[in-house]
Amino acid sequence: MKKIFLAIIFVCCIIFGVNPPAEAGMISKEQEIEMGRETAMQLEAQYGVVQDEALQARVNRIGQKLVSVCGRQDLEYSFKVLNSNEVNALACPGGFIYVYKGLIDYMPTDTELAGVLGHEIGHVSEKHTVHQIEKQMLTTLLLLAVTRGEGLGLVQMAQQALFAGYSRTDERGADKEGFYNTVKAGYNPYSMIITLSKLDDLAAQQGNPGYGLFSSHPEPEERIKRIMKLIDKLDVHPDVVIKDDDHASVSEGDWVFNIDRSIGSNKAKYRAYLLAGGLWTVRQRGFVNPDYFVVYDNGSYAHIYYDDIQLLTVYNQDAGAFGSAGNYAAACTDLLRQWAAVANANDAAKNSKKKK
């Protein structure tokens, strides 16, 4: 009877143009988890889970790190990769979060995955799908009365809500929550800028502005602007200067690192965001030790890290006169060590001013 009463409250609020009270939730946490679990099982049956333990562990590690700082801690979150080439991700009610293998192929770095997972966690944390289902339940008041709140078909409602997409307000809310989660968890502040921009690129290539994660309310430019405003509040340095898609630079004072090539879906500006945001993350740990810059050479490409923070991937195409990605990466680390001296001096001066 409680659900019938709550449904009547919701209906009356709608009729009289009043927002339903937040505490009048019709779906309990237990119901949320159960319908999320059922939806998750159907997704796994439809697509299958990628049989790669290392990949699954990596995605779960990133997700759990974000969960540790998110605004909702009363759920047991899970993160899995579905065996589909689609570039997409889904957050089922109750904390069952999935990314498609196609998205990981398109956004391979931990930075990009953190941006996507942070956004999806935001949807769960803010109960966006649950609230959508509660709105759907307004149209089933008769069923509520007949069944006394049992057998509502919540799983079917969850699936409908999940694939119908979110409102613009919900997307903005998940963006904001996701941004703060990624930063608090120690990830690159440009994570979501890169993921949103890449999705916008893909949508343009497909000739469909509603592709993948933008399938409901595509407004990538506005969403990117909002996140950039949040980044501005952090006073992120070094700075990124974008000349065009294929030419960008990262700079601090007289120190400059030029990136003059796009590699596949990784435009020069995205590579610059990865580097600049990574260096900002490095300096949040305090003194920048120049000896912590390391190179992992894989032949045709090489990863540059500071300790466990991935900063940049360079390729043989970048090498020019250096001959190979490994040689070029070594030269890049020399340049990054020069930045370390600049950053440490600037941070010391800033801290000195604060003490005065």
Side-chain angles (χ1 to χ4, degrees):
M1 293 301 294
K2 178 183 178 182
K3 287 185 172 64
I4 298 174
F5 177 69
L6 291 175
I8 292 172
I9 292 176
F10 271 72
V11 171
C12 290
C13 287
I14 297 297
I15 291 174
F16 293 105
V18 179
N19 290 326
E23 64 273 14
M26 300 170 69
I27 297 173
S28 68
K29 185 179 79 171
E30 290 71 23
Q31 287 174 313
E32 176 190 0
I33 293 172
E34 183 56 30
M35 65 185 178
R37 181 181 292 111
E38 290 291 330
T39 303
M41 289 173 60
Q42 293 189 22
L43 282 170
E44 291 185 25
Q46 179 181 354
Y47 295 105
V49 175
V50 173
Q51 299 303 305
D52 184 334
E53 291 185 7
L55 176 61
Q56 297 289 355
R58 174 182 164 226
V59 171
N60 186 64
R61 170 180 54 79
I62 296 170
Q64 298 300 341
K65 190 174 181 180
L66 293 164
V67 165
S68 69
V69 297
C70 81
R72 189 179 180 192
Q73 301 285 327
D74 64 335
L75 296 172
E76 186 175 339
Y77 292 79
S78 68
F79 300 86
K80 294 182 181 180
V81 183
L82 293 175
N83 193 18
S84 168
N85 291 326
E86 185 177 349
V87 178
N88 210 346
L90 291 172
C92 300
F96 302 88
I97 296 175
Y98 292 93
V99 293
Y100 292 64
K101 186 177 182 299
L103 183 139
I104 293 178
D105 293 339
Y106 190 58
M107 302 182 186
T109 67
D110 285 7
T111 291
E112 293 162 283
L113 289 179
V116 171
L117 294 176
H119 176 89
E120 297 302 326
I121 292 169
H123 282 308
V124 176
S125 182
E126 298 296 320
K127 299 185 179 180
H128 290 152
T129 301
V130 171
H131 294 324
Q132 284 181 278
I133 297 167
E134 288 174 339
K135 291 178 183 178
Q136 289 181 30
M137 290 172 70
L138 297 175
T139 65
T140 63
L141 183 57
L142 178 59
L143 178 61
L144 281 166
V146 171
T147 63
R148 295 181 178 274
E150 302 298 330
L152 297 176
L154 289 179
V155 174
Q156 289 78 10
M157 288 185 178
Q159 292 171 346
Q160 291 174 8
L162 195 61
F163 291 102
Y166 300 100
S167 68
R168 292 190 177 188
T169 299
D170 285 351
E171 291 289 17
R172 292 168 186 170
D175 284 346
K176 187 174 182 179
E177 174 89 0
F179 171 78
Y180 285 122
N181 287 344
T182 55
V183 172
K184 285 189 288 186
Y187 287 104
N188 191 318
Y190 290 107
S191 296
M192 294 188 65
I193 293 294
I194 300 169
T195 58
L196 286 170
S197 297
K198 276 195 166 185
L199 287 169
D200 192 26
D201 292 342
L202 190 59
Q205 293 169 19
Q206 298 289 331
N208 176 11
Y211 186 89
L213 297 177
F214 288 140
S215 60
S216 55
H217 291 277
E219 51 163 6
E221 291 183 3
E222 288 302 315
R223 291 168 68 182
I224 289 169
K225 287 180 182 178
R226 288 188 179 90
I227 295 172
M228 277 297 193
K229 289 181 180 179
L230 297 177
I231 293 174
D232 289 342
K233 293 179 181 179
L234 295 178
D235 192 28
V236 174
H237 295 292
D239 301 312
V240 176
V241 178
I242 300 170
K243 302 169 186 176
D244 54 46
D245 282 351
D246 298 322
H247 300 85
S249 63
V250 177
S251 63
E252 183 163 356
D254 294 331
W255 180 87
V256 180
F257 189 113
N258 291 311
I259 299 175
D260 293 322
R261 186 180 296 274
S262 297
I263 305 292
S265 63
N266 298 306
K267 292 181 179 179
K269 62 180 180 180
Y270 304 154
R271 301 175 75 192
Y273 285 140
L274 283 169
L275 178 58
L279 293 176
W280 181 84
T281 304
V282 164
R283 74 197 310 169
Q284 300 314 297
R285 298 183 176 183
F287 177 79
V288 183
N289 189 328
D291 295 331
Y292 284 13
F293 291 101
V294 294
V295 173
Y296 296 94
D297 188 357
N298 291 297
S300 60
Y301 62 93
H303 298 305
I304 302 174
Y305 277 78
Y306 177 91
D307 195 11
D308 61 339
I309 299 174
Q310 185 175 351
L311 300 174
L312 186 67
T313 299
V314 298
Y315 302 83
N316 285 338
Q317 298 97 304
D318 293 311
F322 290 96
S324 70
N327 290 339
Y328 179 61
C332 290
T333 57
D334 289 339
L335 187 57
L336 292 174
R337 292 185 181 103
Q338 295 174 28
W339 169 82
V342 173
N344 288 330
N346 288 345
D347 290 347
K350 186 182 296 185
N351 291 333
S352 177
K353 287 182 180 180
K354 286 182 180 180
K355 290 179 181 179
K356 294 179 180 180

